Amino acid sequence: MTLWFVFALMTVAAIFAVLWPLSRGRPAGTDGSEAVVYRDQLAEIDRDMAAGIISAAEAGAAKVEISRRLLAASDQEQHEVPVQSNLKLRRMAATLGLVGLPVVAAGFYLALGSPQLGDFPLAARSRAADANQPLTNLVAQVEAHLEKNPTDGRGWSVLAPVLSRLGRYDDAVRAYRNAITYAGDNADRRADLGEALIGTAGGVVTAEAKAEFERAIAQDADDAKANYFLGLAAEQDGRKADAAAIWQKMLATGPGDAPWRPLVQAALVRVGGVSAPALPDGAVAAAKDMSEADRNTMIRGMVDRLATRLKQNGDDVEGWLRLVRAYLVMGERDKAMSAVADARQAVASNAERLRQLNDGLKNLGLDG
């Protein structure tokens, strides 16, 4: 209330400073008439002549000139209509301004402002987040806030991924659990919790983490993070075929520009899966009943057809990357490097495609 009182006094003072002159009448004899000035000058000449400051001749000449100006001024004033100010009207305007301006200002504030907003003390302002502060300081401020407001689900949702990036996985697990409790359960939070649990285990997909990924899949079967880590769990368990099947499905059903595709493709190469060429549905069904030799022969034929197609149309960057991966999986590194050279030559005239190709090759560990 003290602040509002000071603002009110400042407003009243400003209004008085502007309107006070309007509320006063003009004192008599201060109308600024030239005739009055000239009469004063004639009287002053008489005083100077009596004191001996000027001679009678000089006084006479000066009186003649001043008298001439006096006559001219008097004649002009007779033809002018004096402007009369209405003192009562000005005082009414001053009063209206004094009362009306604060009322109008208050009306605008109530309509557009936030009068119900509580005070923000200086101590709290000094602790407000500053973008220039180190991340650890900002995290400490959020943690202090959550100690006082442990049911703030949004706060836990913001804090949890930051703790993961800082490597504080145990704290991140707690934050994700609180986010699920107070902000709601969904696939993203379950998958993030599972990833944090992997962090606490040094990169191992534990049974607890796997359970979280399975809960995420139950809510969203296409959750990319959960599917990837379930594939990683299968790989760590020695079930490379299962891991390959999970990742193959992700590549087959996921968006073509998904940011996780390079990671999944590299993982697929790691477990010996062939991410390219993808088998048609009928071929997949037929491959299940084939022997290992027949299946390899079928894959070899598809790789050869892909290589032939790329020689005819080399603009397909994703096709070149699939071909290189297939050769790597089959252990034919020389053919893979030859395909790399052919691919770079084919897209050399297109800077964007060349960039995409090089990025994909880096994900495969082929920087050169």
Side-chain angles (χ1 to χ4, degrees), residues 73 101 108-109 132 134 138 192 238 257 284 305 341 346:
L101 285 178
F108 273 107
Y109 176 69
N132 296 323
L138 298 177
D192 289 338
D257 58 349
V284 171
R305 286 194 294 274

Side-chain angles (χ1 to χ4, degrees), residues 308-344:
T308 301
R309 180 174 65 80
L310 290 172
K311 288 181 180 180
Q312 298 172 352
N313 179 15
D315 292 337
D316 184 2
V317 173
E318 185 62 26
W320 283 113
L321 292 174
R322 291 200 304 270
L323 181 63
V324 171
R325 283 193 299 273
Y327 282 140
L328 290 175
V329 169
M330 291 186 294
E332 298 177 351
R333 187 174 180 83
D334 291 340
K335 288 187 176 182
M337 299 309 298
S338 177
V340 169
D342 292 341
R344 284 178 171 157

Side-chain angles (χ1 to χ4, degrees), residues 28 30-31 59 80 93 123 138 154 156 159 165 184 198 210 216 228 234 255 260 266 281 293 326 328 330 332:
T30 59
D31 57 354
E80 290 180 350
L138 298 177
R154 182 174 180 274
W156 289 115
L159 179 63
R165 286 196 294 271
I198 293 175
K210 183 179 178 181
Y228 170 77
W260 46 259
D281 292 340
L328 290 175
M330 291 186 294
E332 298 177 351

Side-chain angles (χ1 to χ4, degrees), residues 10-33:
M10 292 172 63
T11 302
V12 171
I15 294 173
F16 265 118
V18 175
L19 299 181
W20 176 250
L22 296 177
S23 66
R24 302 179 61 190
R26 179 178 295 174
T30 59
D31 57 354
S33 172

Side-chain angles (χ1 to χ4, degrees), residues 120-316:
F120 193 20
L122 178 61
R125 291 197 298 271
S126 65
R127 293 194 299 269
D130 182 353
N132 296 323
Q133 294 185 57
L135 181 60
T136 53
N137 290 354
L138 298 177
V139 169
Q141 292 175 15
V142 176
E143 288 178 319
H145 164 76
L146 290 172
E147 286 181 5
K148 298 178 181 178
N149 304 274
T151 61
D152 182 0
R154 182 174 180 274
W156 289 115
S157 298
V158 171
L159 179 63
V162 179
L163 292 175
S164 288
R165 286 196 294 271
L166 292 175
R168 294 173 52 184
Y169 297 114
D170 290 329
D171 294 331
V173 168
R174 173 173 169 265
Y176 278 123
R177 292 193 189 282
N178 285 332
I180 291 172
T181 300
Y182 301 117
D185 191 359
N186 59 39
D188 288 339
R189 293 193 178 104
R190 288 292 178 181
D192 289 338
L193 173 57
E195 186 178 18
L197 287 167
I198 293 175
T200 64
V204 176
V205 184
T206 62
E208 186 180 11
K210 183 179 178 181
E212 295 300 336
F213 295 130
E214 289 172 345
R215 292 187 182 102
I217 292 297
Q219 298 183 65
D220 181 4
D222 295 326
D223 187 279
K225 180 178 291 187
N227 277 296
Y228 170 77
F229 281 114
L230 285 176
L232 184 62
E235 180 188 6
Q236 291 178 353
D237 290 342
R239 297 181 288 109
K240 292 187 177 182
D242 292 340
I246 293 173
W247 292 331
Q248 284 279 17
K249 182 179 178 181
M250 289 181 65
L251 293 174
T253 60
D257 58 349
W260 46 259
R261 292 187 74 89
L263 176 65
V264 173
Q265 289 164 347
L268 193 57
V269 171
R270 188 174 64 241
V271 298
V274 181
S275 63
L279 298 176
D281 292 340
V284 171
K288 292 180 180 179
D289 300 327
M290 291 181 179
S291 64
E292 186 66 20
D294 291 339
R295 187 181 301 111
N296 290 338
T297 300
M298 183 184 70
I299 292 175
R300 164 72 63 182
M302 297 187 69
V303 170
D304 291 341
R305 286 194 294 274
L306 175 61
T308 301
R309 180 174 65 80
L310 290 172
K311 288 181 180 180
Q312 298 172 352
N313 179 15
D315 292 337
D316 184 2

